[in-house]
């Protein structure tokens, strides 16, 4: 995902700084980058928040915490959509896509280093691994 966003940002940078003849030969690049982004997003990060919900929250809180997590996920998607024109005006189209790419690169490291491996572990072991989370404590206290 990050690579396809970097390529898309580079295309828009070149569009602003290169000759039209060169850009005509690369007119396929934005579509190919977007297709790659959506393909890899659908295969990877689209499902991660919903996959780990079953492991992250205890059984008795999965319903409410799953709803809250899904809502927060959609809220951040809305924030990305709303802030795109502002970022585009501030950084340019290429800067906007490069900043999204940087966020994707950072998220890879966060998932790799901060999200523990749960393969082959029972739900009880996973609950012990995560311990008492802030979300579970908030639900227990009635928000």
């Amino acid at each position: 995902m990050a690579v396809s966003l970097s390529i898309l940002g580079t295309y828009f940078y070149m569009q602003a700084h290169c000759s039209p003849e060169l850009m005509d030969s690369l007119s396929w690049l934005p579509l190919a980058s977007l297709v790659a982004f959506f393909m890899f997003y659908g295969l990877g990060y689209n499902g991660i928040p919903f996959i780990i919900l079953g492991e992250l929250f205890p059984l008795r809180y999965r319903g409410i915490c799953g709803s809250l997590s899904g809502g927060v996920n959609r809220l951040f998607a809305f924030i990305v959509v709303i802030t795109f024109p502002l970022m585009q005006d501030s950084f340019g189209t290429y800067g906007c896509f490069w900043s999204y790419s940087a966020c994707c690169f950072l998220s890879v490291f966060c998932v790799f280093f901060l999200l523990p491996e749960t393969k082959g572990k029972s739900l009880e072991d996973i609950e012990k691994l995560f311990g008492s989370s802030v979300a579970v404590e908030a639900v227990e206290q009635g928000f």
Side-chain angles (χ1 to χ4, degrees):
M1 287 180 7
V3 172
S4 63
L5 289 174
S6 294
I7 291 170
L8 192 57
T10 303
Y11 173 82
F12 284 114
Y13 180 82
M14 290 173 62
Q15 187 178 39
H17 296 93
C18 292
S19 69
E21 294 82 25
L22 175 63
M23 297 316 298
D24 286 341
S25 66
L26 296 174
S27 62
W28 56 271
L29 194 58
L31 180 62
S33 296
L34 283 175
V35 167
F37 173 81
F38 285 119
M39 184 178 69
F40 290 118
Y41 177 76
L43 293 173
Y45 271 14
N46 184 37
I48 287 177
F50 303 105
I51 291 170
I52 65 170
L53 283 178
E55 299 174 349
L56 187 60
F57 301 115
L59 181 60
R60 63 180 182 241
Y61 300 119
R62 279 193 197 137
I64 187 76
C65 292
S67 299
L68 289 172
S69 297
V72 168
N73 186 347
R74 298 303 176 220
L75 174 68
F76 281 115
F78 177 72
I79 289 170
V80 168
V81 170
I82 291 298
T83 59
F84 179 79
L86 301 172
M87 290 177 63
Q88 192 176 20
D89 290 341
S90 298
F91 306 134
T93 304
Y94 55 88
C96 186
F97 283 109
W98 283 341
S99 65
Y100 290 149
S101 176
C103 289
C104 284
F105 277 121
L106 287 174
S107 68
V108 168
F109 290 108
C110 288
V111 167
F112 187 75
F113 290 113
L114 300 177
L115 192 64
E117 178 61 55
T118 59
K119 183 178 180 181
K121 296 183 179 174
S122 69
L123 288 175
E124 292 82 20
D125 291 339
I126 294 170
E127 279 188 37
K128 290 176 188 173
L129 179 66
F130 284 113
S132 179
S133 70
V134 174
V136 171
E137 290 174 8
V139 170
E140 286 176 346
Q141 296 173 2
F143 295 97

